[in-house]
């Protein structure tokens, strides 16, 4: 998981909401290329539903570093094609995975980097050769480039929001083991 260049990020619900709930949304702004992220309208709807449900999430529409993107007709078509390839169960609601699919469609059509943590969505990104990063990569970048950030504390704060992340006694040691941070 490496960001190949300075292309803008298009972000899924999970990463955005958990960084907000942990009090670390500023990391996203500070690390995002050009200091700006795109939230597809489908994802924004999911985020706003979380706010209505009582979660402590900042509304993307109130942040000057977040752009809400409406899918074009081509992106909406790609979103549906990707959704067809996403695993789902018989009892899953029709809107399951729409946010991830919107992120991938925007990454494809707008030449952006998908910020996704869902394993099935990451598999779809790889199958379509779309660049993607996830929360663990973002924490590593914060550790490397933001002097005032304690990666262990950020990792624990995200876990405290019930975010599904790899379990590790030490985030830094985990990141070194998987080659995301240099061994020194």
């Amino acid at each position: 998981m490496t960001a190949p260049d300075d292309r803008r990020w298009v972000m899924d619900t999970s990463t955005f909401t958990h960084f907000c709930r942990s009090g670390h949304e500023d990391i996203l702004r500070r690390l995002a290329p050009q200091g700006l992220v795109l939230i597809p309208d489908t994802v924004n709807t999911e985020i706003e539903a979380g706010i209505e449900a009582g979660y402590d999430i900042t509304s993307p529409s109130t942040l000057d570093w977040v752009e809400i993107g409406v899918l074009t007709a081509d992106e909406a078509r790609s979103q549906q094609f990707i959704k067809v390839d996403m695993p789902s169960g018989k009892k899953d609601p029709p809107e399951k995975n729409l946010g991830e699919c919107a992120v991938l469609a925007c990454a494809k059509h707008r030449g952006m980097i998908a910020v996704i943590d869902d394993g099935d969505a990451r598999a779809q990104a790889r199958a379509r050769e779309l660049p993607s990063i996830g929360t663990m990569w973002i924490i590593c970048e914060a550790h490397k480039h933001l002097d005032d950030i304690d990666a262990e504390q950020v990792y624990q704060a995200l876990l405290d929001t019930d975010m599904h992340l790899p379990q590790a006694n030490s985030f830094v040691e985990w990141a070194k083991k998987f080659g995301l941070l240099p061994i020194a």
Side-chain angles (χ1 to χ4, degrees):
M1 240 190 315
T2 60
D5 51 41
D6 66 347
R7 286 184 276 178
R8 282 189 49 206
W9 294 353
V10 54
M11 190 166 291
D12 189 35
T13 307
S14 178
T15 306
F16 182 84
T17 59
H18 285 282
F19 270 87
C20 286
R21 291 177 55 210
S22 71
H24 292 289
E25 66 266 20
D26 193 55
I27 290 173
L28 301 175
R29 178 194 59 79
R30 292 171 65 194
L31 288 177
Q34 304 164 33
L36 191 64
V37 300
L38 177 73
I39 301 282
D41 54 351
T42 309
V43 170
N44 189 55
T45 299
E46 295 174 359
I47 293 169
E48 294 297 334
I51 293 168
E52 288 178 22
Y55 288 104
D56 186 18
I57 305 166
T58 306
S59 175
S61 64
T62 66
L63 300 170
D64 62 2
W65 53 272
V66 174
E67 175 187 349
I68 309 297
V70 177
L71 297 185
T72 66
D74 287 341
E75 290 168 342
R77 228 178 342 275
S78 290
Q79 178 190 34
Q80 292 304 314
F81 284 128
I82 296 167
K83 181 157 176 31
V84 167
D85 292 337
M86 291 283 278
S88 62
K90 290 181 181 181
K91 295 183 180 187
D92 288 339
E95 63 276 3
K96 183 176 182 353
N97 297 323
L98 279 180
E100 291 92 344
C101 296
V103 167
L104 295 174
C106 286
K108 174 183 175 180
H109 290 277
R110 300 182 193 205
M112 298 177 120
I113 297 171
V115 180
I116 50 176
D117 286 311
D118 178 82
D120 293 330
R122 286 194 321 268
Q124 291 301 315
R126 283 190 300 276
R128 290 170 167 74
E129 298 181 357
L130 298 172
S132 68
I133 58 174
T135 295
M136 298 298 268
W137 184 89
I138 291 171
I139 299 170
C140 287
E141 290 301 294
H143 178 77
K144 291 189 277 188
H145 301 291
L146 304 176
D147 292 336
D148 59 335
I149 298 299
D150 178 338
E152 298 291 351
Q153 190 271 330
V154 171
Y155 171 73
Q156 186 58 53
L158 289 165
L159 287 176
D160 290 345
T161 68
D162 295 324
M163 187 173 199
H164 297 287
L165 295 172
Q167 296 295 308
N169 290 330
S170 164
F171 170 81
V172 171
E173 292 306 314
W174 178 92
K176 287 177 181 179
K177 178 180 174 184
F178 287 96
L180 294 171
L181 289 176
I183 299 172

